[in-house]
Amino acid sequence: MRFLMLTVVLLAARSSFALSGQQVIDAMDKVLMFEEGEIELSIVDRRSGAVRTTLETNVLYKKGRGTLMAFTAPAREKGKKVLMVAQNMWMSVPGVSRPVRVSGKDSFMGTSFSNNDMMDFSKSDDYECTIADSTDSSYTVEMKSASKTVSYPRIVAVVSRTFLPIHQDLYTLSGNRIKTITFSDVKQLAGRLRPSVFTVRDMLTQGNQTDVVFRAMTPRTVSESVFSPDNLSR
Amino acid sequence: MNSATLMSLALRNLSRHLRRTVLTCASVALSAGLLYFSFGFFRGTHQEMMQESFIRFKTNHIVVRTQGFSEREPDTWVDSQSLFTGHDSLAAWLLTRPQTKAVSVRLIDPGFVGNGRERYPVMVTGVDPAHERDAGMVAQSIVAGAYLDSTDGLLMGQALADLFGLKLGDAVYVQAQTTHGTPNLEVLTLSGIYHTGFLELDRNTVFVRLATAQRLFDTPGAANRMLVLLKQARMTEAVLGEVRAKVHAGLSIEPWQTFARALLEDAKGDRLFFNVLVAILLLISVSSIGSTMSMSVIERTSEIGTLRATGWERGDIVRLFLTESLCIGAVGALAGLVLFVPVSIYMAVVGIDLSRMGETMAIPVFRMICRPEWRDALISVVVGIAATFAGGLLPSIRAGRLRIVDCLKHT
């Protein structure tokens, strides 16, 4: 009888400490991105294994406010800037006085990422998340969105017990998997362990991939004014 | 002076300077012949080949879209402002009209197709297979497999299939943006391959069922274009009025000419070019016959004096020279027909093959042809003779006004 009661208590305790899918994804988002600061990124686009282009960029990020990306290399892209605020996106090109509006759904500089993918890694706000499976080392979280405006209505995310993202399958409205993202090369960035390489593969162009490499992340206060399209060309 | 005598004298006079006469005739022949050719060429190449091809491949005779639809902004083609529903009842009503040959309901938007390794930008065109079969050119151009049916297949041009190395039964990845701006992906089976010879269709367009396109773009029950093919182009205006009275506000009903402005401007330009060319040639003919007749009057002044002295009236002299002009005009115009009728017949039967230029043309014109009519020949001869009459009139009047004394003094 005592054994039975102990078992019930332990099971109750276990269920009260079990995390929900939403909590796992919230925690994963925190691992992926800090609140605000500066990031140095390299974006390596590969076609059939061979490097096609390597872009280098400095990013200013402020959660809930926006993302500003300024390209530093190669020479032909240097000075270009991309700004994302909510669902709006602009690009400024040196020598062109006014920034042009770009679509979030277009391919990001010809890579496997869409502009939206590239500028917004945070996922928890848009999805209802449930744990589909868990092992001793990871959770498999089923993320579904009822919103018609999210790029991928269904994502299956594999997250480690330490909330490091491992792998994500991105599905379209029709239910077909369109992209996969693999997270690797975990290292200390901005004071905690984070994956430093995101590898995106597109189902339409299998054999090609785009690696986003986080070279450095520096938490700092970012001024609100940098997220104004009016300041983009300055 | 009777006409037979005048004609006989005129012909004899013309034969006295045969080389000059032949050159003047040649000038008239070129003008009249080109005029004849231009009528047939314009009718054949512009009206029959270009306009008919444009109607068949691009717009049919009438296009129904929303008023907010912008042809120049493909990014907005599946936005709410560009979509309409209720097309089934409108199509059913249109098919009851005696002038209607076919009605095509379409949902078109840019997207990508791929074989899983590479992708290529195309126009994804959703069609109702039952209606589209009669309205478009694709059903008649299938080279492998079958036209769309009730299954979820995809039709692709031979050029595009070759580009990807795809064959019937292979999986084709079709990616597009939904009406909400999110990416969507369908994996369809390649069920048919067509070849029209027109690159815009063969390489840049794929066809799927309307229901498949609606699923891909997440626009259930909606279309963004309805095309109406009539039995004859001249019925367009009448049917246009009926459709405008029938459809609800918010829809725009346009005739094919709205979309073919560039084509119609080109046709105008070509016609103007031919008209100017023929006008210049006619002017040369008028001037050449004027100079020939003036020379003849000067050379034959004493002869004119002798004729007048033997009882010829001033009017007889005028008629003699005019008859000579008209003879040159008639012979020249007929010679022009002899030269250009075989060219027109060759162009009507064989034409000039342009099918290899299908990759560079915005309109599917596969042959340059002529469609000559009998009245073209009649008009060309009349214009040729009228030009020579105009050219010969002044020298003839001048010859008639010469005084006998002055003529006889002339040696």
Side-chain angles (χ1 to χ4, degrees), chain B residues 66-244:
Chain B
T66 65
Q67 285 175 354
F69 191 95
S70 168
E71 203 72 46
R72 291 180 180 172
E73 296 176 65
D75 274 1
T76 65
W77 285 0
V78 290
D79 287 359
S80 56
Q81 75 204 40
S82 305
L83 297 168
F84 62 95
T85 53
H87 43 76
D88 285 341
S89 56
L90 182 57
W93 174 78
L94 275 162
L95 286 167
T96 64
R97 314 309 301 156
Q99 303 98 324
T100 309
K101 192 173 177 188
V103 178
S104 164
V105 178
R106 295 184 181 182
L107 179 60
I108 306 175
D109 199 44
F112 290 93
V113 293
N115 55 1
R117 294 180 300 281
E118 289 174 296
R119 64 180 194 168
Y120 190 81
V122 292
M123 278 296 163
V124 181
T125 304
V127 296
D128 179 348
H131 289 153
E132 187 70 21
R133 187 180 285 275
D134 299 325
M137 292 297 289
V138 172
Q140 294 86 44
S141 310
I142 298 288
V143 292
Y147 191 63
L148 292 170
D149 54 22
S150 57
T151 56
D152 244 352
L154 176 138
L155 288 184
M156 180 181 276
Q158 179 87 62
L160 192 56
D162 290 346
L163 192 69
F164 283 119
L166 288 167
K167 53 188 189 302
L168 289 177
D170 283 352
V172 182
Y173 292 77
V174 185
Q175 189 198 335
Q177 302 293 330
T178 67
T179 186
H180 309 288
T182 58
N184 203 1
L185 178 72
E186 289 282 344
V187 185
L188 303 171
T189 303
L190 181 58
S191 58
I193 297 174
Y194 58 85
H195 175 76
T196 64
F198 180 39
L199 204 69
E200 186 178 315
L201 284 179
D202 291 353
R203 188 181 283 181
N204 299 336
T205 307
V206 294
F207 290 87
V208 297
R209 287 190 319 128
L210 185 62
T212 309
Q214 287 168 341
R215 205 171 62 228
L216 181 66
F217 303 129
D218 195 19
T219 58
N224 56 14
R225 240 169 282 198
M226 177 186 279
L227 311 181
V228 185
L229 182 67
L230 303 174
K231 286 174 183 157
Q232 288 176 336
R234 63 184 169 78
M235 297 168 170
T236 306
E237 279 304 312
V239 179
L240 202 63
E242 287 186 44
V243 182
R244 280 182 176 148

Side-chain angles (χ1 to χ4, degrees), chain A residues 7-206:
Chain A
T7 306
V8 169
V9 168
L10 282 174
L11 280 173
R14 183 190 162 105
S15 66
S16 66
F17 287 117
L19 291 170
S20 69
Q22 199 67 47
Q23 287 169 315
V24 171
I25 296 302
D26 283 345
M28 181 195 78
D29 275 354
K30 286 195 176 83
V31 169
L32 275 176
M33 198 54 73
F34 48 29
E35 289 293 311
E36 60 182 315
E38 190 172 346
I39 308 163
E40 285 177 34
L41 284 183
S42 295
I43 301 159
V44 186
D45 194 42
R46 299 173 199 274
R47 296 279 185 264
S48 307
V51 174
R52 189 180 70 101
T53 49
T54 302
L55 301 166
E56 291 190 0
T57 167
N58 271 2
V59 181
L60 292 175
Y61 172 80
K62 192 177 183 98
K63 190 173 183 183
R65 187 63 190 90
T67 308
L68 174 67
M69 195 173 268
F71 291 90
T72 55
R76 68 172 181 279
E77 307 292 352
K78 194 172 178 179
K80 274 188 189 172
K81 291 180 187 171
V82 180
L83 171 67
M84 182 179 178
V85 177
Q87 295 298 312
N88 304 307
M89 203 169 282
W90 297 265
M91 177 184 272
S92 83
V93 178
V96 178
S97 57
R98 299 184 62 165
V100 287
R101 228 183 153 94
V102 292
S103 168
K105 55 198 182 185
D106 292 340
S107 166
F108 180 81
M109 311 289 277
T111 67
S112 298
F113 278 97
S114 72
N115 286 328
N116 272 335
D117 294 338
M118 194 63 222
M119 305 296 278
D120 185 14
F121 287 110
S122 174
K123 295 281 191 300
S124 60
D125 297 343
D126 301 321
Y127 293 89
E128 283 195 4
C129 311
T130 51
I131 294 180
D133 191 20
S134 63
T135 65
D136 289 343
S137 60
S138 66
Y139 301 101
T140 300
V141 183
E142 180 88 21
M143 303 165 65
K144 283 187 177 169
S145 175
S147 167
K148 293 274 192 181
T149 56
V150 300
S151 294
Y152 310 104
R154 179 176 168 236
I155 297 175
V156 177
V158 181
V159 184
S160 76
R161 287 273 175 181
T162 53
F163 309 117
L164 284 165
I166 298 168
H167 183 85
Q168 290 178 2
D169 286 328
L170 281 54
Y171 292 84
T172 63
L173 186 70
S174 59
N176 289 305
R177 188 174 61 170
I178 189 167
K179 283 177 188 167
T180 63
I181 307 179
T182 308
F183 302 85
S184 59
D185 200 8
V186 175
K187 62 166 71 163
Q188 198 69 227
L189 287 166
R192 68 183 299 170
L193 283 174
R194 305 175 196 266
S196 66
V197 179
F198 300 3
T199 301
V200 174
R201 293 184 180 86
D202 193 324
M203 291 299 109
L204 244 72
T205 52
Q206 294 162 38

Side-chain angles (χ1 to χ4, degrees), chain B residues 254-286:
Chain B
E254 300 290 345
W256 65 272
Q257 290 96 329
T258 306
F259 308 92
R261 286 201 179 111
L263 172 70
L264 296 173
E265 286 300 318
D266 278 355
K268 257 192 209 167
D270 280 5
R271 176 145 242 180
L272 184 69
F273 170 76
F274 264 111
N275 287 349
V276 169
L277 181 69
V278 169
I280 290 169
L281 289 172
L282 282 173
L283 207 65
I284 293 169
S285 300
V286 168

Side-chain angles (χ1 to χ4, degrees), chain B residues 304-385:
Chain B
I304 293 167
T306 308
L307 289 171
R308 290 290 315 281
T310 56
W312 281 51
E313 298 293 328
R314 288 178 190 277
D316 292 335
I317 300 295
V318 172
R319 281 197 290 141
L320 175 65
F321 277 91
L322 275 180
T323 306
E324 288 176 23
S325 299
L326 291 174
C327 282
I328 290 175
V331 171
L334 289 172
L337 290 185
V338 168
L339 285 174
F340 280 87
V341 164
V343 178
S344 286
I345 290 173
Y346 173 82
M347 288 285 287
V349 175
V350 181
I352 297 173
D353 183 20
L354 298 177
S355 57
R356 286 178 185 276
M357 293 173 67
E359 294 191 8
T360 58
M361 288 190 293
I363 300 162
V365 180
F366 304 121
R367 272 197 317 148
M368 285 170 83
I369 57 163
C370 268
R371 283 284 175 266
E373 291 181 1
W374 288 112
R375 63 182 172 160
D376 301 345
L378 191 66
I379 292 169
S380 306
V381 169
V382 168
V383 169
I385 292 173

